[in-house]
Amino acid sequence: MLKGVFRMNKPIKERSFILYIILSVITFGIYHIVFWNKLSKDVNVLCDGDGKKTMKYGFVFLLNIVTVGIFGLIWKFKLANRLQTNAPRYNLKFSESGALVLVYNLILPLIGLFITSLVMVKNFNKLAKEYNDYNGLVDPDADKRVDLFEDEEEAEVEA
């Protein structure tokens, strides 16, 4: 049983990282803002009751420009920590923390951004799946999504 998770009527959609990359490139970064803005809104639903609130990304994007990328790093650090902290509520455990986000982004700026975004989306999707399962909600796009982390055994069972 999930601890402190409140029942909602709308499912939380899991996100496709591949689609995020493709649409972000096609739209010259506009989809990047939309994607993280919607994800931050859903994180607030998934983590409701933990006493924190994730700032919407639209505002973060503007502050990120003013602070030359520092505010965006802090935001992602806090987001990764919030996902990790709330994982036990969903009977999950994430080893990736905000510290990983900082290290990867500072040591390998472009590759680190890609890797940490991928990890955060993966962790978000795990929380969303557990949330939806617990509340008896169905993600309408679940059958259309490509999962980069799908186990080979799961793929064989489905075939």
Side-chain angles (χ1 to χ4, degrees):
M1 177 158 281
L2 303 181
K3 300 178 226 166
V5 178
F6 303 103
R7 183 170 176 81
M8 299 296 288
N9 295 328
K10 292 172 62 177
I12 301 291
K13 288 186 179 183
E14 295 176 46
R15 304 303 200 280
S16 168
F17 188 75
I18 294 170
L19 187 60
Y20 157 68
I21 295 297
I22 292 169
L23 290 177
S24 292
V25 170
I26 290 172
T27 63
F28 301 103
I30 294 171
Y31 186 74
H32 165 80
I33 299 167
V34 172
F35 178 89
W36 288 105
N37 200 54
K38 287 183 178 182
L39 188 127
S40 64
K41 183 179 175 184
D42 286 344
V43 165
N44 285 330
V45 173
L46 290 172
C47 301
D48 189 29
D50 69 352
K52 298 177 183 174
K53 188 164 175 111
T54 299
M55 183 184 296
K56 289 186 179 178
Y57 191 74
F59 190 61
V60 172
F61 181 77
L62 295 174
L63 286 173
N64 197 36
I65 293 169
V66 173
T67 61
V68 195
I70 294 170
F71 194 82
L73 275 178
I74 293 168
W75 183 83
K76 284 197 172 183
F77 171 84
K78 288 182 176 183
L79 178 62
N81 278 342
R82 190 170 187 204
L83 293 174
Q84 183 186 38
T85 301
N86 281 276
R89 293 171 62 191
Y90 293 90
N91 298 320
L92 298 169
K93 183 177 180 184
F94 301 148
S95 59
E96 303 88 7
S97 68
L100 176 92
V101 170
L102 289 179
V103 169
Y104 272 92
N105 281 290
L106 293 174
I107 293 175
L108 306 164
L110 291 176
I111 297 169
L113 176 64
F114 181 82
I115 292 170
T116 56
S117 295
L118 176 65
V119 166
M120 286 195 294
V121 170
K122 175 192 70 128
N123 289 347
F124 170 84
N125 284 341
K126 286 181 180 181
L127 289 178
K129 182 180 180 334
E130 290 299 318
Y131 173 88
N132 290 337
D133 289 349
Y134 176 77
N135 289 304
L137 304 170
V138 178
D139 181 353
D141 297 330
D143 59 334
K144 300 174 191 170
R145 199 172 18 267
V146 175
D147 188 1
L148 293 177
F149 301 99
E150 184 175 46
D151 294 329
E152 291 177 15
E153 294 172 9
E154 289 179 21
E156 290 174 9
V157 171
E158 291 176 4

